[in-house]
Amino acid sequence: SMYKVLLLNDDFTPMDFVVFVLKKFFNRTEEEAHDIMLKVHSEGVGIAGVYPFEIAEMKSAQVNTYAKEHEHPLKSIIEKE
């Protein structure tokens, strides 16, 4: 089974930080990252990537840890596709 790594919108995390996270952890291009960030911002959630369970879980944890370390409330969760 494959799992979606979802980024959840909040009112505090800067858009540039979300774009950076998408590029750093999900190997997204600038354009892809910007499009996903806008989806998160406008719809409340966006798919960062789709992976096998272990990889999805690891990437979600990396995002949550990285955001916390940089004092942003950005959250990532995984959901079965």
Side-chain angles (χ1 to χ4, degrees):
S1 297
M2 298 295 278
Y3 289 78
K4 297 180 280 192
V5 180
L6 305 173
L7 296 182
L8 307 179
N9 190 44
D10 63 75
D11 294 331
F12 302 101
T13 303
M15 292 179 179
D16 289 346
F17 185 80
V18 177
V19 169
F20 180 80
V21 162
L22 286 160
K23 289 165 62 179
K24 178 177 176 68
F25 296 106
F26 301 95
N27 298 314
R28 296 298 189 162
T29 65
E30 181 76 29
E31 188 176 334
E32 289 171 334
H34 189 262
D35 290 347
I36 295 166
M37 176 276 295
L38 288 177
K39 187 169 178 70
V40 172
H41 182 70
S42 64
E43 298 178 24
V45 64
I47 301 172
V50 179
Y51 306 93
F53 178 76
E54 291 81 9
I55 295 171
E57 193 174 49
M58 178 190 70
K59 287 186 176 287
S60 181
Q62 287 174 329
V63 168
N64 292 338
T65 300
Y66 189 78
K68 190 173 185 178
E69 287 171 353
H70 290 82
E71 300 182 358
H72 294 301
L74 180 66
K75 288 283 181 245
S76 170
I77 61 170
I78 65 171
E79 182 179 279
K80 194 169 187 174
E81 186 166 54

